[in-house]
Amino acid sequence: MATTYAVDPGDPDASYLSFWREKHLCTLTTLRPDGTPHVVPVGVTYDPGARLARVIANKASAKVRHVLAAGAEGAPVAACQVDGRRWATLEGRAVVRTEREHVAEAERRYAERYGRTPSPNPSRVVIEIALTRAMGRG
């Protein structure tokens, strides 16, 4: 019998949501043009009400280039965090947002989760992930 760790990304249980509110370094996996995974450390914020995860990034970064290369439909990505036996993954389609209000919201959420305001960066964008799947053990 297979064990499932599926979570509704729009309605997670309290322990899963609490885990995503703790300060943890995460990883973001994007796909390179050749289809191989590119995994980098990032800060991720999770907004189940909007079914979104957000990652602030420099517009010149490889992760941003990978998402942009996927076109308007967005890139399939996964964001993950782990702490001992607890782990959580958010999957979905990512797009890059450059609008100031989207970047400001991502910065606000980052400051809330990580306890520090990101330093000013005029090249900052936000990778918004429209969540299609979540799993883990919070």
Side-chain angles (χ1 to χ4, degrees), residues 20 24-30 38-44 55 63 77-82 88-90 113-114 129:
W20 276 105
H24 292 288
L25 186 61
C26 303
T27 60
L28 178 69
T29 303
T30 58
H38 175 256
V39 184
V40 294
V42 294
V44 175
V55 176
K63 60 187 162 287
V77 301
C80 185
Q81 66 181 19
V82 64
T89 300
L90 299 170
R113 180 175 188 197
Y114 291 99
I129 306 164

Side-chain angles (χ1 to χ4, degrees), residues 2-26:
T3 303
T4 180
Y5 297 105
V7 174
D8 179 345
D11 189 24
D13 63 47
S15 65
Y16 191 83
L17 184 56
S18 176
F19 186 39
W20 276 105
R21 289 184 173 149
E22 295 171 12
K23 182 180 176 181
H24 292 288
L25 186 61
C26 303

Side-chain angles (χ1 to χ4, degrees), residues 89-102:
T89 300
L90 299 170
E91 298 179 22
R93 288 266 177 203
V95 296
V96 175
R97 305 296 300 255
T98 59
E99 301 91 338
R100 185 66 211 136
E101 63 273 12
H102 288 272

Side-chain angles (χ1 to χ4, degrees), residues 32-126:
R32 295 181 182 99
D34 68 2
T36 59
H38 175 256
V39 184
V40 294
V42 294
V44 175
T45 62
Y46 175 33
D47 181 358
R51 292 180 75 99
L52 285 177
R54 295 175 178 89
V55 176
I56 57 175
N58 190 298
K59 68 181 176 186
S61 68
K63 60 187 162 287
V64 168
R65 287 193 312 271
H66 298 157
V67 172
L68 289 172
E73 73 180 40
V77 301
C80 185
Q81 66 181 19
V82 64
D83 180 38
R85 295 179 60 99
R86 297 184 307 156
W87 62 276
T89 300
L90 299 170
E91 298 179 22
R93 288 266 177 203
V95 296
V96 175
R97 305 296 300 255
T98 59
E99 301 91 338
R100 185 66 211 136
E101 63 273 12
H102 288 272
V103 175
E105 178 65 8
E107 290 171 333
R108 183 190 70 75
R109 288 176 179 274
Y110 179 96
E112 185 178 276
R113 180 175 188 197
Y114 291 99
R116 70 172 191 83
T117 301
S119 57
N121 179 352
S123 297
R124 181 169 290 131
V125 297
V126 60

